Amino acid sequence: MSQSGYKVSDLVKAAGVSRQAYYKWLTHEPTVHDIQDQEILKLVKQLEAQHKHCVGYDKMTRLIKQERLSYTVNKKRVMRIMKKHSIKADYRQPKRKRVQEQETYEAQNTLNRQFEQAAANQVWVTDTTEIAYNIRKYKARLHVVLDLYGQYPLSWIITPTETSTGAIKAFQMAKQEAGGLAPLIHTDRGAAYTSKAFNHYLAS
């Protein structure tokens, strides 16, 4: 203590403990339970390193039990030790190649600018656009599904942002209005339309 430049009385006051408690801790002999906890902690750190720091409480308990220690180790004890030493699983998600995912759902331009249609419900086109209101302070997204025959909107919906959920909802409303989906649906290559959810909806 003297080497650090602080008195014991100052340190225990800062820590909020009594001098008696400090000296009791200083001369404390580790119990069997304390020794076991240290052994478990050492195992936890080893297993964390082996499994690249992605082991949760349940799996960690199972792995420690496989070590066949001479005493019982349960999940509650493992949780207490890991929390005490700020050890937790790192569940970072792998980086997704979003560009490649979108390209999977980018079809050829089948419509090829054939905007004149001879019958209803043969070709639907859709798009989403940003709209501003309250002197452009707030913004929202407008989704529209248009039948090229007569070029009238079958459905429209406003959502806070551009999402596949909004695009799907617009088509569900159009399907209900027309009694079914058109055999050809034309979109741009926006994120909502190249999403897995939207394309799975159309495929189903």
Side-chain angles (χ1 to χ4, degrees):
M1 292 299 177
S2 58
Q3 292 178 352
S4 65
Y6 295 99
K7 297 180 179 179
V8 172
S9 57
D10 295 330
L11 293 173
V12 295
K13 184 178 180 180
V17 298
S18 65
R19 291 174 67 96
Q20 182 181 2
Y22 165 71
Y23 285 115
K24 184 178 180 181
W25 169 82
L26 195 63
T27 58
H28 169 72
E29 290 291 334
T31 64
V32 174
H33 195 270
D34 293 334
I35 295 171
Q36 291 175 356
D37 278 1
Q38 286 300 314
E39 186 176 6
I40 295 170
L41 176 61
K42 185 178 179 180
L43 270 175
V44 165
K45 290 180 177 179
Q46 290 176 354
L47 292 167
E48 276 281 283
Q50 290 175 17
H51 294 271
K52 302 185 184 299
H53 305 279
C54 60
V55 182
Y57 301 127
D58 290 319
K59 185 175 180 180
M60 182 63 73
T61 305
R62 292 196 300 270
L63 291 172
I64 291 175
K65 285 182 176 180
Q66 291 175 9
E67 297 293 326
R68 300 187 181 279
L69 300 175
S70 59
Y71 48 88
T72 302
V73 179
N74 55 31
K75 180 182 174 182
K76 186 177 179 180
R77 190 173 189 181
V78 172
M79 285 179 63
R80 175 179 57 78
I81 293 171
M82 290 180 69
K83 286 182 176 180
K84 180 180 179 181
H85 296 275
S86 301
I87 301 172
K88 59 182 180 180
D90 183 1
Y91 291 114
R92 286 176 293 181
Q93 296 296 322
K95 293 182 179 179
R96 298 169 59 186
K97 298 181 179 179
R98 296 186 181 276
V99 174
Q100 292 184 8
E101 286 184 359
Q102 287 189 358
E103 287 175 350
T104 306
Y105 299 101
E106 290 181 359
Q108 295 299 317
N109 185 4
T110 308
L111 182 61
N112 197 25
R113 301 186 65 82
Q114 297 175 20
F115 299 126
E116 297 293 331
Q117 296 295 317
N121 298 323
Q122 295 302 303
V123 180
W124 291 355
V125 294
T126 186
D127 201 359
T128 176
T129 186
E130 185 179 81
I131 55 177
Y133 59 98
N134 193 20
I135 318 180
R136 306 187 69 82
K137 184 177 181 180
Y138 302 108
K139 296 179 180 180
R141 301 295 301 196
L142 171 65
H143 301 260
V144 179
V145 178
L146 194 76
D147 190 332
L148 279 185
Y149 180 75
Q151 299 190 3
Y152 65 93
L154 287 164
S155 67
W156 61 271
I157 185 174
I158 295 176
T159 59
T161 58
E162 179 184 359
T163 62
S164 58
T165 303
I168 291 170
K169 180 64 177 178
F171 272 86
Q172 289 173 334
M173 294 165 64
K175 178 184 176 183
Q176 185 176 3
E177 176 70 20
L181 293 175
L184 177 58
I185 292 171
H186 181 80
T187 76
D188 64 11
R189 295 186 175 184
Y193 304 121
T194 57
S195 68
K196 184 182 296 185
F198 180 76
N199 283 270
H200 280 190
Y201 166 73
L202 292 184
S204 65

